[in-house]
Amino acid sequence: MSEKVKCLIVGSGPAGYTAAIYAARANLKPVMYEGLQPGGQLTTTTEIDNFPGYPEGITGPAMMEDLRKQAERFGTDVRFGIITSADLSKKPFKLIADESHEIETEVLIIATGATAKYLGLESEEKFRGKGVSACATCDGFFYKGQDVAVVGGGDTAAEEATYLAGLCNKVYLIVRRDELRASKAMQERVFNTPNIEILWKHQTKEIVGDDMGVTGAKLVNDKGEIKEIKITGFFLAIGHHPNSDIFRDYLKTDETGYIITEKGSSRTNIPGVFACGDVQDKIYRQAITAAGSGCIAAIDAERFIGE
Ligand code: NDP
């Protein structure tokens, strides 16, 4: 026997929780599956200073805890677990939680986020949150006046390097090839920023540091020459992986897997299925934009049920 629900929300970052708050208040009795990382990507950051309403800042885990409590206050059934498969071929949509529990839902809100790609170095893991970050907009401020490095050559790397250049003393941009993948306009911005030094054809071998955090990085170029740079922040910008895999048989995505939503809404190509947050946004990726899109998804879902 499958469980029948009105509104199922998958994912528990700012998008999922905001969708839950709105859906619960609209009496959609939402059930939320939190996913592998309850609270989402923000639980891996330290201080959040750019979310309106927290004049003194707040840590990522504390903010997510607040959002969860707020969602629960209005009756969201928040469950620890993951959705392991989905059949969106007909209504009600059928999803399987934790490999065995079948759920049928009238509307589905996908807020599964995206996962930042890391290089896979042991030292990167060791200093995560202590100098290693995958979000310059979130963490750059802590490196004001210091020397930092950004890895990557796409639009994200170009954008993050120029953002950091406005705050930091010096930014090394570590690029594995001899050209950037970023758009020409973004490349120009990088080339015209005097405190960005591009290290072409370099790869990171190791991030070095002490108890206080990152102090440098060991790089190797295409000739095998080793170079050590002194930095206190190491920012990854080598892409994200949108967590849309289990929905891809049904939903339209772009070539990298981001779910395509109708402009100005959270509607996907399947009526009744809505997407919000980073799983459908590769450009802004902020807690506040994710939260806003979660609100949109809940309102879209409520209207869909009402129609
Ligand atoms: P991309 O996939 O476009 O770029 C990833 C970059 O990281 C590439 O330069 C790649 O190198 C490099 N890279 C990947 N793996 C490694 C590795 N192991 N070691 C070193 N370097 C590595 O990702 P982005 O996040 O930059 O962008 C994703 C999408 O979002 C793009 O379509 C982009 O245009 C878009 N975007 C748009 C923005 C805007 O319009 N303002 C802002 C941000 C993103 P290589 O080139 O050699 O493969």
Side-chain angles (χ1 to χ4, degrees), residues 117-120 151-159 174-183 186 202-204 236-240 254-256 258 282-285:
K117 290 183 189 160
Y118 283 80
L119 296 169
V151 190
D155 278 321
T156 304
E159 207 164 77
I174 306 167
V175 181
R176 67 178 173 184
R177 291 187 294 140
D178 60 356
E179 61 177 346
L180 298 177
R181 181 186 290 273
S183 60
M186 284 308 298
H202 277 78
Q203 305 231 32
T204 311
L236 288 130
I238 58 170
H240 283 73
D254 72 3
E255 66 291 351
T256 45
Y258 285 89
K282 62 185 178 189
I283 296 177
Y284 300 104
R285 295 197 287 243

Side-chain angles (χ1 to χ4, degrees), residues 48-49 51-58:
I48 300 170
D49 275 334
F51 199 93
Y54 294 99
E56 305 304 325
I58 183 164

Side-chain angles (χ1 to χ4, degrees), residues 156-279:
T156 304
E159 207 164 77
E160 304 223 325
T162 39
Y163 175 79
L164 289 166
L167 292 167
C168 301
N169 178 54
K170 175 162 192 162
V171 179
Y172 294 99
L173 183 59
I174 306 167
V175 181
R176 67 178 173 184
R177 291 187 294 140
D178 60 356
E179 61 177 346
L180 298 177
R181 181 186 290 273
S183 60
K184 284 280 172 278
M186 284 308 298
Q187 293 197 22
E188 282 308 310
R189 281 184 66 190
V190 170
F191 298 150
N192 292 329
T193 306
N195 60 339
I196 297 178
E197 179 181 336
I198 304 183
L199 299 172
W200 299 108
K201 297 193 196 173
H202 277 78
Q203 305 231 32
T204 311
K205 265 177 81 77
E206 192 189 347
I207 298 158
V208 288
D210 54 28
D211 290 347
M212 301 298 289
V214 170
T215 56
K218 276 190 191 141
L219 314 177
V220 60
N221 68 10
D222 59 327
K223 298 191 186 86
E225 294 158 348
I226 308 276
K227 174 188 178 84
E228 188 162 341
I229 52 171
K230 288 201 185 326
I231 47 163
T232 49
F234 184 87
F235 290 88
L236 288 130
I238 58 170
H240 283 73
H241 179 72
N243 301 319
S244 62
D245 293 358
I246 60 167
F247 306 111
R248 281 197 206 179
D249 287 346
Y250 305 96
L251 297 183
K252 279 193 189 142
T253 64
D254 72 3
E255 66 291 351
T256 45
Y258 285 89
I259 295 175
I260 294 171
T261 49
E262 248 175 62
K263 202 170 181 332
S265 88
S266 65
R267 288 190 289 272
T268 66
N269 57 301
I270 299 183
V273 178
F274 305 93
C276 53
D278 286 12
V279 74

Side-chain angles (χ1 to χ4, degrees), residues 23-35:
R25 286 168 61 87
N27 210 23
L28 301 189
K29 301 188 172 30
V31 170
M32 167 188 277
Y33 274 82
E34 289 184 301

